[in-house]
């Protein structure tokens, strides 16, 4: 049985109770009930990620505050002298990936490379004066710091995307990574 729900755009959490039961006298009567709960969207939903990642070289999972919302899953790649990389797992059904990405304080706008199989894409992100020092970070972002990569197809199976900074401007932070 597949059940689909529209996104919850209300300001309240909502639930649905689904019961599946046998009704025939020829089989033993059984009943199964599942409750599905959709939380209400919040400001922080934009900044949390729905994917997992594996840290590579010069890669860190850090915490901080983004536009006043505390989050624990900031993916920082690179150091002042080394490029960084990580592998992001995209679930089956993913057609695009949306995320926030900012470059290190006052650095040249860094380039980030994404590799999915043999397909590569590079994006240049903007340096952000609030990405500086040590965590926890206090970050301020705008919609111009949000990026989208259209995969050109819907993934039929889970796949890994390697994401890496290029050595010219090695430090960036990702958050709100959403596989859609």
């Amino acid at each position: 049985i597949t059940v689909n729900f529209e996104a919850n755009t209300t300001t309240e959490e909502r639930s649905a109770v689904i019961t599946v039961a046998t009704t025939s006298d020829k089989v033993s009567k059984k009943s199964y009930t599942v409750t599905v709960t959709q939380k209400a969207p919040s400001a922080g939903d934009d900044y949390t990620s729905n994917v997992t990642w594996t840290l590579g070289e010069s890669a860190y999972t850090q915490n901080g505050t983004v536009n006043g919302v505390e989050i624990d899953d900031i993916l920082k790649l690179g150091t002042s002298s080394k490029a960084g990389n990580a592998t992001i797992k995209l679930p089956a059904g993913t057609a695009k990936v949306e995320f926030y990405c900012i470059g290190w304080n006052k650095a040249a706008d860094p380039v980030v490379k994404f590799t999915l199989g043999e397909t590569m894409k590079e994006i240049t992100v903007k340096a952000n004066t609030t990405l500086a020092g040590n965590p926890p970070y206090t970050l301020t972002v705008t919609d111009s710091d949000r990026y989208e990569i259209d995969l050109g197809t819907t993934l039929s199976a889970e796949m890994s995307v390697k994401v890496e900074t290029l050595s010219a401007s090695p430090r960036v932070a990702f958050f709100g990574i959403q596989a859609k």
Side-chain angles (χ1 to χ4, degrees), residues 96-100 146-149 176-180:
K96 66 181 177 178
V97 181
E98 295 177 357
F99 54 90
Y100 284 91
R146 188 148 179 88
Y147 299 87
E148 178 181 304
I149 295 179
I177 306 169
Q178 295 285 316
K180 297 189 173 201

Side-chain angles (χ1 to χ4, degrees), residues 138-157:
T138 302
L139 306 175
T140 302
V141 296
T142 66
D143 286 342
S144 67
D145 298 310
R146 188 148 179 88
Y147 299 87
E148 178 181 304
I149 295 179
D150 186 339
L151 301 179
T153 187
T154 300
L155 299 180
S156 59

Side-chain angles (χ1 to χ4, degrees), residues 5 22 26 31-32 36-37 47-48 53 57 62 74 96 120 130 150 162 169 177:
F5 296 94
T22 58
K26 297 178 182 176
S31 177
Y32 300 95
V36 178
T37 302
Y47 307 128
T48 58
W53 53 75
E57 295 179 31
Q62 316 232 256
I74 297 171
K96 66 181 177 178
M120 290 182 282
T130 64
D150 186 339
K162 182 176 183 182
S169 301
I177 306 169

Side-chain angles (χ1 to χ4, degrees), residues 53-114:
W53 53 75
T54 303
L55 300 175
E57 295 179 31
S58 300
Y60 314 89
T61 299
Q62 316 232 256
N63 62 351
T65 303
V66 179
N67 293 351
V69 177
E70 289 186 34
I71 62 171
D72 293 323
D73 58 352
I74 297 171
L75 174 60
K76 180 182 170 263
L77 299 180
T79 67
S80 61
S81 61
K82 294 182 184 174
N85 65 74
T87 303
I88 298 172
K89 295 278 188 190
L90 299 179
T94 301
K96 66 181 177 178
V97 181
E98 295 177 357
F99 54 90
Y100 284 91
C101 187
I102 57 176
W104 196 257
N105 175 34
K106 299 180 184 175
D109 293 342
V111 177
V112 180
K113 181 171 131 181
F114 298 84

